Amino acid sequence: MTLEEMLKNELADSLTLVSKHADLKRQVRAVESTEAPDAFPFLEMDSIVLTMAMVFKDDPKGLCEFIKGLNKRPCAAIAIKIGRFLDEIDEEVIQTADELGFPVFIIPSTETLGRVYHRLLALLWNVRNKEILEMQQIKRKLYRLFLSGATLRRMLNTISTTLQRHAAVLDLLGGGYLRKWDCN
């Protein structure tokens, strides 16, 4: 799911985008939470990182460097809870994020990191569950075709049409493909 898609969902209502030139086409595949300024190797790629920015309380340049590191990883975005250690996001931080196209969100002081974390995870899991259900439906459809004696051509056409992608049967032992059919 992209950040743009995520923001359309009510589960992400508590996030406020503060970077003006944010790339909202970034993929979100995980939600992480950290207060460690050197956490980059431990963060999932394409994650939205939740933080209170405790170690950056009086260090906007450090937060800028942290954002550069997240962008390099690459992470999808950062969401900073304000009201505890930071009352606002320094303009230098927003400018750095804008130069990178890196999305910076504010979590209001009325929210807890835990609630935001759980809502975003629920949103991602709902998307993943939907994908799994769709895959199971496709598998059942193909299984029924196979049991009814459908030809290989018909099965490939069904796959192509259902997935809206080209389909091919590969002969892994013979070193090539047997047949290829395009979507109708």
Side-chain angles (χ1 to χ4, degrees):
M1 127 180 309
T2 65
L3 284 168
E4 187 173 48
E5 293 166 336
M6 183 187 79
L7 291 172
K8 291 178 183 174
N9 192 291
E10 65 186 27
L11 291 173
D13 280 351
S14 61
L15 299 178
T16 303
L17 183 65
V18 294
S19 48
K20 299 162 196 73
H21 302 289
D23 175 9
L24 298 179
K25 300 289 184 205
R26 291 173 181 245
Q27 289 292 315
V28 180
R29 291 188 172 81
V31 181
E32 298 278 353
S33 180
T34 188
E35 294 302 325
D38 59 350
F40 310 115
F42 309 105
L43 297 173
E44 288 287 327
M45 295 172 83
D46 300 324
S47 61
I48 183 166
V49 178
L50 309 182
T51 185
M52 291 190 293
M54 176 177 63
V55 296
F56 305 114
K57 181 179 181 189
D58 298 315
D59 185 14
K61 288 190 185 321
L63 185 51
C64 290
E65 292 304 313
F66 186 67
I67 287 172
K68 288 176 186 177
L70 292 177
N71 187 58
K72 192 181 216 180
R73 173 78 179 124
C75 289
I78 187 171
I80 302 168
K81 180 176 169 52
I82 57 169
R84 176 84 193 267
F85 297 104
L86 298 178
D87 291 325
E88 61 183 22
I89 306 300
D90 192 279
E91 192 57 41
E92 180 182 1
V93 172
I94 295 170
Q95 184 179 0
T96 298
D98 281 339
E99 288 170 5
L100 299 170
F102 192 79
V104 176
F105 295 95
I106 288 178
I107 300 170
S109 59
T110 56
E111 285 286 354
T112 67
L113 283 182
R115 276 192 295 224
V116 174
Y117 192 89
H118 288 288
R119 285 197 301 260
L120 294 179
L121 274 179
L123 180 58
L124 290 175
W125 288 340
N126 287 342
V127 168
R128 185 66 181 137
N129 285 339
K130 182 181 173 193
E131 291 170 352
I132 290 169
L133 289 173
E134 288 172 359
M135 286 187 289
Q136 286 178 333
Q137 289 173 345
I138 292 168
K139 182 179 133 188
R140 279 190 215 108
K141 188 183 231 181
L142 290 173
Y143 188 67
R144 276 188 242 120
L145 283 171
F146 178 77
L147 290 178
S148 69
T151 64
L152 184 58
R153 174 181 218 106
R154 182 169 174 212
M155 291 178 71
L156 282 172
N157 281 334
T158 300
I159 292 169
S160 289
T161 303
T162 304
L163 299 177
Q164 294 297 305
R165 301 214 189 287
H166 302 291
V169 175
L170 300 177
D171 177 4
L172 298 177
L173 298 176
Y177 71 88
L178 298 175
R179 298 275 191 268
K180 176 183 174 189
W181 286 278
D182 293 334
C183 306
N184 294 339

